[in-house]
């Protein structure tokens, strides 16, 4: 947050994929420090793949990405399906995991940490939910809890993958206010979204991909009928007989 | 009159015979470590992993037996090595290839088991090996008791150390991967605890039945508590209780002790399934009024 240039996330001819088949092809560009960017595109466009690479859980097939190296403080909220909601853990304990960088595997959760947890739950509208078991929460409440955890991670870069799938409008509005607040604090935020109304209402910048980059820039410039039509025309299937890509870097 | 009968039934045998007290101490020590581990296995949907591991350990113990006869040290070391090797290989294959953990584990325990059976057949006599299969809880000597106590101590300390990463690995392993590199180590450490407890358990209960004292109390505990801490305490308590009852029953009924302990645990599990206060079957049948909010 001190030096905007060096804090930007740069993508250099980045190709990501699985088993050598690209899911994101030759992506070049930069997420500026402190920017709030929506990543949009059809299913299978490579949006989640891009976030995985930024979060460091997927290695690029080629090209590179550079993330501000001083202490990679990245918070990543994947699609909610990855969490085991049958595990008997309380809301407070789940949110407390956001303090991992502070507590580590063995450190104690101090009294001021408990206050921070309470404050985070308050911010997402779940004050008093500390002792609830996560299995008893509704889908919207669960997403609020995960945003509270995200908040405690206090990260400079926040990656959110489809946070509002099957979430009601009220919750979306509440959580987007929180995202806007984080944006105001100078954090860099990338969110994968499908709701174009939310994108144009809250996000200044937008990246549209459909396995290939379609458009990247101001949201109003990206969300044009021409771009949307191009994204829709994307070919989703891999070509099993595809040749090696020779496109120059 | 009633008091004396009760005394003769419940306490008398333990006061009278040292081997009964030793059996009780050994089984209680086992329950202390195995209870919480069983709860984690159950919650991670790894209930059958204990069973697979028990099979994987068998050849190691058999090899120890072939080398040195009924030697506590050799059989324990053999079991531990076989268990750790299978856990490590399975973990490696899971992380590096497309095979999921259950497939990787099954593949290596089957190889290990088949190898074990061939090894044993080379030696001819396998009568003494009944000890490995079914244990001898009424013949626990000092070194074996020490092994059981040490296992309980190591398990509880290690669980306390691993607790946070382990819970996080269970609930949200992807999150753990983004904040720390300890996921793999945590998982392997946990599997090592499973192996250690099963190896210690086979001296008392045999390789296969020691899984029973690990898993059945955990399943029963699910019907008495909804929190992780509650389930772990409950599982340990049920393990201890069924050990005591099982040893006592086997004394009076002249049945083999190991299986009687596990049958008692099984009975407590079935009762919990029926009348457990948290999602027990009977609760479903009772007409209960719902709350206001």
């Amino acid at each position: 947050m001190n030096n905007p240039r060096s804090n930007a996330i740069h993508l250099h001819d980045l190709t990501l994929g699985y088993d050598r088949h690209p899911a994101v092809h030759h992506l070049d560009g930069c997420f500026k420090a402190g920017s709030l960017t929506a990543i949009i595109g059809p299913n299978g466009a490579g949006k989640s793949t891009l976030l995985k690479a930024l979060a460091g859980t997927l290695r690029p097939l080629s090209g590179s990405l550079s993330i501000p190296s001083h202490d990679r403080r990245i918070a990543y909220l994947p699609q909610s399906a990855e969490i085991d909601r049958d595990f008997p853990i309380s809301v407070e304990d789940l949110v407390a995991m956001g303090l991992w960088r502070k507590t580590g595997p063995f450190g104690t959760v101090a009294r001021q940490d408990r206050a921070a947890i309470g404050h985070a739950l308050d911010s997402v509208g779940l004050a008093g939910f500390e002792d609830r078991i996560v299995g008893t929460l509704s889908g919207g409440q669960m997403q609020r809890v995960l945003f509270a955890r995200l908040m405690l991670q206090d990260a400079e870069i926040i990656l959110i993958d489809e946070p509002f799938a099957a979430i009601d409008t009220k919750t979306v509005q509440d959580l987007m206010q929180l995202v806007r607040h984080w944006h105001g604090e100078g954090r860099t935020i990338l969110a994968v979204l499908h709701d174009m109304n939310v994108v144009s209402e809250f996000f200044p910048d937008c990246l549209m991909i459909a396995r290939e980059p379609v458009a990247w820039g101001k949201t109003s410039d990206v969300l044009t009928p021409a771009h949307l039509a191009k994204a829709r025309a994307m070919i989703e299937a891999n070509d099993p007989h595809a040749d090696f890509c020779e496109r120059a870097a | 009159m009633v008091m004396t009968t009760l005394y003769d039934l419940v306490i008398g045998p333990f006061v009278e015979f040292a081997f009964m007290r030793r059996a009780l101490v050994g089984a209680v020590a086992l329950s202390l470590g195995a209870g919480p581990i069983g709860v984690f296995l159950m919650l991670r949907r790894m209930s059958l992993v204990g069973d697979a591991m028990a099979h994987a350990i068998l050849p190691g113990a058999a090899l120890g037996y072939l080398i040195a006869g009924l030697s506590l040290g050799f059989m324990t070391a053999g079991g531990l090595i076989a268990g750790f090797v299978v856990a490590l290989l399975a973990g490696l294959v899971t992380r590096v290839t497309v095979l999921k953990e259950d497939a990787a584990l099954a593949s290596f325990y089957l190889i290990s088991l088949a190898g074990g059976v061939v090894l044993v057949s080379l030696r001819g006599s396998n009568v003494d090996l009944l000890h490995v299969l079914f244990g001898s809880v009424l013949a626990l000597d000092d070194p074996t008791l020490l092994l059981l106590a040490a296992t309980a101590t190591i398990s509880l300390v290690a669980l306390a150390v691993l607790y946070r990463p382990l819970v996080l690995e269970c609930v949200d392993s992807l999150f753990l991967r983004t904040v720390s590199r300890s996921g793999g180590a945590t998982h392997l450490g946990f599997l090592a605890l499973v192996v250690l407890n099963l190896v210690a358990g086979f001296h008392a209960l045999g390789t296969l039945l020691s899984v029973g004292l690990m898993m059945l109390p955990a399943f029963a505990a699910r019907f008495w508590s909804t929190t992780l801490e509650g389930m772990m305490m409950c599982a340990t308590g049920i393990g201890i209780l069924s050990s005591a009852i099982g040893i006592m029953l086997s004394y009076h009924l002249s049945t083999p002790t190991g299986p009687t302990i596990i049958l008692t645990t099984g009975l407590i599990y079935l009762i919990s399934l029926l009348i457990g206060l948290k999602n027990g079957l009977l609760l479903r049948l009772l007409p209960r009024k719902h709350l206001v909010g």
Side-chain angles (χ1 to χ4, degrees):
Chain A
M1 289 171 223
N2 30 21
N3 181 356
R5 268 193 66 80
S6 68
N7 274 350
I9 304 169
H10 292 278
L11 314 179
H12 305 286
D13 192 37
L14 182 69
T15 295
L16 305 166
Y18 309 93
D19 196 21
R20 295 202 294 177
H21 289 290
V24 175
H25 216 176
H26 299 291
L27 194 55
D28 256 308
C30 149
F31 297 99
K32 288 192 200 68
S35 62
L36 173 57
T37 311
I39 300 173
I40 59 171
N43 287 329
K47 307 180 297 292
S48 299
T49 307
L50 178 58
L51 285 203
K52 275 182 203 163
L54 290 169
T57 61
L58 182 75
R59 205 181 308 176
L61 293 181
S62 70
S64 66
L65 52 93
S66 67
I67 285 174
S69 56
H70 62 278
D71 184 14
R72 289 166 46 111
R73 290 182 55 93
I74 299 174
Y76 171 44
L77 180 58
Q79 294 187 37
S80 54
E82 319 241 359
I83 287 178
D84 180 4
R85 291 184 53 187
D86 287 335
F87 198 90
I89 184 173
S90 71
V91 166
E92 180 171 39
D93 287 345
L94 185 64
V95 175
M97 287 170 180
L99 296 167
W100 182 279
R101 276 178 215 281
K102 192 165 165 241
T103 60
F106 316 123
T108 50
V109 177
R111 184 174 300 165
Q112 68 262 33
D113 296 330
R114 296 211 174 274
I117 294 167
H119 173 69
L121 281 174
D122 202 22
S123 316
V124 297
L126 289 181
F129 274 63
E130 280 87 345
D131 294 332
R132 283 277 291 270
I133 298 291
V134 292
T136 66
L137 298 177
S138 71
Q141 288 168 338
M142 186 65 196
Q143 208 57 22
R144 286 169 188 263
V145 165
L146 292 177
F147 268 67
R149 184 177 76 180
L150 210 51
M151 188 171 160
L152 283 190
Q153 283 185 265
D154 191 26
E156 284 170 31
I157 298 168
I158 300 175
L159 312 170
I160 319 175
D161 196 353
E162 292 196 35
F164 305 136
I167 300 291
D168 68 14
T169 326
K170 170 81 168 64
T171 305
V172 172
Q173 290 295 327
D174 287 356
L175 294 181
M176 275 316 301
Q177 291 306 332
L178 204 57
V179 170
R180 187 176 264 175
H181 177 67
W182 294 336
H183 179 50
E185 290 173 333
R187 304 177 202 272
T188 311
I189 303 165
L190 278 64
V192 170
L193 289 169
H194 279 297
D195 187 335
M196 294 306 150
N197 294 325
V198 173
V199 172
S200 46
E201 185 181 347
F202 291 97
F203 288 81
D205 294 310
C206 186
L207 163 64
M208 187 189 289
I209 51 176
R211 301 189 70 193
E212 307 266 348
V214 175
W216 194 349
K218 285 203 182 315
T219 302
S220 51
D221 300 337
V222 171
L223 289 182
T224 63
H227 288 149
L228 288 167
K230 191 177 168 197
R232 253 181 234 125
M234 174 192 78
I235 302 160
E236 206 170 317
N238 289 329
D239 178 359
H241 308 297
D243 286 327
F244 294 113
C245 178
E246 303 289 356
R247 211 182 303 177
Chain B
M1 183 64 192
V2 175
M3 286 307 288
T4 43
T5 323
L6 203 62
Y7 177 89
D8 286 342
L9 214 57
V10 180
I11 300 173
F14 292 103
V15 173
E16 202 169 333
F17 299 108
F19 70 84
M20 290 288 283
R21 291 196 294 275
R22 288 172 164 275
L24 186 63
V25 170
V28 166
L30 261 183
S31 304
L32 283 175
I37 289 174
V39 169
F40 271 108
L41 281 173
M42 169 185 69
L43 291 174
R44 305 186 75 175
R45 295 171 184 78
M46 289 167 64
S47 296
L48 293 173
V49 164
D51 211 41
M53 277 301 178
H55 283 85
I57 287 163
L58 193 59
L63 198 61
Y65 169 76
L66 284 186
I67 294 171
L70 275 178
S71 141
L72 178 73
F74 273 88
M75 288 173 71
T76 304
L80 283 177
I81 291 169
F84 290 158
V85 167
V86 167
L88 266 174
L89 285 177
L92 202 66
V93 167
T94 309
R95 291 203 178 233
V96 179
T97 75
V98 289
L99 283 186
K100 299 275 184 255
E101 179 159 40
D102 56 336
L105 201 56
S107 64
F108 287 112
Y109 101 68
L110 286 167
I111 294 171
S112 177
L113 183 63
V117 173
V118 169
L119 273 178
V120 169
S121 75
L122 291 178
R123 171 80 172 232
S125 157
N126 50 16
V127 179
D128 285 341
L129 219 61
L130 280 177
H131 163 84
V132 181
L133 280 173
F134 298 112
S136 46
V137 69
L138 293 185
L140 298 178
D141 54 11
D142 283 351
T144 313
L145 270 188
L146 274 175
L147 175 72
L148 290 173
T151 300
T153 310
I154 292 170
S155 301
L156 292 179
V157 170
L159 271 182
V161 172
L162 283 179
Y163 193 77
R164 189 176 293 156
L166 191 57
V167 169
L168 191 39
E169 245 253 318
C170 296
V171 179
D172 195 349
S173 58
L174 199 59
F175 180 80
L176 181 63
R177 241 189 297 160
T178 62
V179 295
S180 150
R181 288 184 200 284
S182 64
T186 303
H187 188 62
L188 277 180
F190 176 66
L191 282 182
L193 283 184
V194 174
V195 170
L196 178 64
N197 274 272
L198 291 176
V199 169
F202 82 61
H203 296 292
L205 296 167
T207 47
L208 300 184
L209 285 181
S210 59
V211 183
L213 201 55
M214 185 176 277
M215 299 315 303
L216 283 169
F219 303 151
R222 195 76 161 113
F223 294 98
W224 298 107
S225 174
T226 51
T227 66
L228 183 58
E229 299 86 347
M231 280 180 215
M232 292 196 295
M233 283 191 283
C234 221
T236 305
I238 289 170
I240 291 173
L241 185 72
S242 40
S243 298
I245 297 176
I247 293 168
M248 190 186 70
L249 281 179
S250 83
Y251 173 84
H252 292 297
L253 303 174
S254 305
T255 48
T257 311
T260 311
I261 291 177
I262 303 304
L263 270 182
T264 312
T265 323
L267 194 66
I268 293 182
Y269 157 70
L270 288 175
I271 294 170
S272 307
L273 190 78
L274 281 176
I275 66 162
L277 294 178
K278 308 289 179 193
N279 302 312
L281 283 176
L282 215 57
L283 275 187
R284 288 198 191 179
L285 301 176
L286 288 179
R288 291 204 301 169
K289 286 194 171 164
H290 63 257
L291 306 171
V292 191

